[in-house]
Amino acid sequence: MSLYNRDYSKLGEFENTRTSDLSVFIKQTYQLFAASLLAATVGAYIGIFALASFFIKSQITFWVLFAVEIGLFFALQFKKKEAPLNLILLFGFTFCSGLTLTPLIISVLALPAGGVIVAQAFALTTVAFVGLSVFAMNTKRDFTMMGKALFIVLLVVVAASILNIFMASGLLNLIISAVTAILFSFFILYDTQNIIRGNYETPIEGAVALYLDFVNLFTSLLNILRSFNSR
């Protein structure tokens, strides 16, 4: 059969179906992302108003919750396709993540303008997240090729953060926070393009990626603002 006489109607139907499925995938991803932020907010609220004394008295509370958070995260990776367990693990992880933000938020709220600093960090994070997401959706530049480079920088940041636990250097902490803010700004570009291209297996994977980008950008900006306001 000649190429010019071939029936392409089914190919058109396939493309329409794929586009529709991708639209549903993106919608579900951002719905889960929004719900994850809500769960984390509830966790942070409970941590600040109900568990603050436990965090202040001992660091054991934080490390126990952090261990639970990490456990839930890895469990989610293994059970990401098993509903409704995957949703339970997702919201359990994000809720626990909100709880572990309590020590940082409390330390900021203890400053004279603590409430304003938290609000500023959240506003800056939201504006940056929305702006970078829109840019990633509309630019012709491909950020999905940056995965390996971003992962390497992330390992360096983690190593520096562990080192600074023992050094307790304010300057190094500020540098780490600045690098982290830049790093996760690029992660937002990277993850957004992977989501809109359907490169994740499940909406939950995309939602977790966006959630981690948002939270890490927020905490790094909060650390930067705290450092400048503490001087």
Side-chain angles (χ1 to χ4, degrees):
M1 181 184 291
S2 169
L3 288 173
Y4 296 101
N5 294 329
R6 191 171 293 174
D7 183 4
Y8 286 95
S9 60
K10 290 185 179 180
L11 290 177
E13 290 176 6
F14 173 77
E15 286 299 324
N16 289 335
T17 301
R18 186 179 184 281
T19 301
S20 177
D21 289 344
L22 184 57
S23 297
V24 172
F25 179 90
I26 294 171
K27 181 180 179 181
Q28 290 178 344
T29 298
Y30 279 90
Q31 285 176 339
L32 289 171
F33 166 61
S36 296
L37 286 180
L38 180 60
T41 301
V42 173
Y45 183 88
I46 292 175
I48 293 168
F49 292 98
L51 301 176
S53 59
F54 293 99
F55 284 105
I56 294 172
K57 289 178 182 177
S58 174
Q59 291 187 349
I60 295 177
T61 304
F62 169 80
W63 288 111
V64 169
L65 288 172
F66 182 71
V68 172
E69 178 187 345
I70 296 299
L72 289 169
F73 175 78
F74 282 108
L76 178 60
Q77 302 309 305
F78 285 108
K79 301 295 182 180
K80 60 188 176 185
K81 295 181 180 179
E82 297 183 20
L85 178 60
N86 52 5
L87 291 177
I88 294 172
L89 291 171
L90 171 64
F91 296 128
F93 162 68
T94 52
F95 175 80
C96 196
S97 173
L99 286 175
T100 57
L101 287 176
T102 301
L104 173 61
I105 296 176
I106 288 176
S107 69
V108 175
L109 291 175
L111 298 173
V116 175
I117 295 171
V118 173
Q120 287 176 339
F122 184 80
L124 287 171
T125 303
T126 303
V127 170
F129 184 89
V130 172
L132 290 167
S133 297
V134 171
F135 176 74
M137 291 177 183
N138 291 280
T139 185
K140 293 181 179 179
R141 184 172 180 179
D142 186 5
F143 289 100
T144 61
M145 307 299 291
M146 299 178 62
K148 290 183 179 179
L150 293 176
F151 183 70
I152 291 171
V153 176
L154 178 61
L155 290 179
V156 173
V157 168
V158 171
S161 299
I162 294 173
L163 177 64
N164 201 39
I165 292 176
F166 303 99
M167 293 179 60
S169 169
L171 178 60
L172 181 56
N173 181 64
L174 182 59
I175 293 172
I176 292 171
S177 297
V179 173
T180 302
I182 296 170
L183 172 63
F184 280 96
S185 294
F186 276 101
F187 261 118
I188 291 170
L189 297 171
Y190 170 78
D191 289 321
T192 300
Q193 286 196 344
N194 275 304
I195 289 167
I196 64 176
R197 296 181 185 188
N199 293 338
Y200 286 110
E201 281 189 279
T202 65
I204 282 183
E205 281 184 287
V208 170
L210 291 178
Y211 172 79
L212 291 173
D213 296 342
F214 188 96
V215 169
N216 281 288
L217 180 57
F218 169 71
T219 54
S220 59
L221 290 175
L222 191 57
N223 266 318
I224 292 170
L225 293 174
R226 179 183 64 171
S227 296
F228 282 116
N229 283 272
S230 297
R231 296 182 179 183

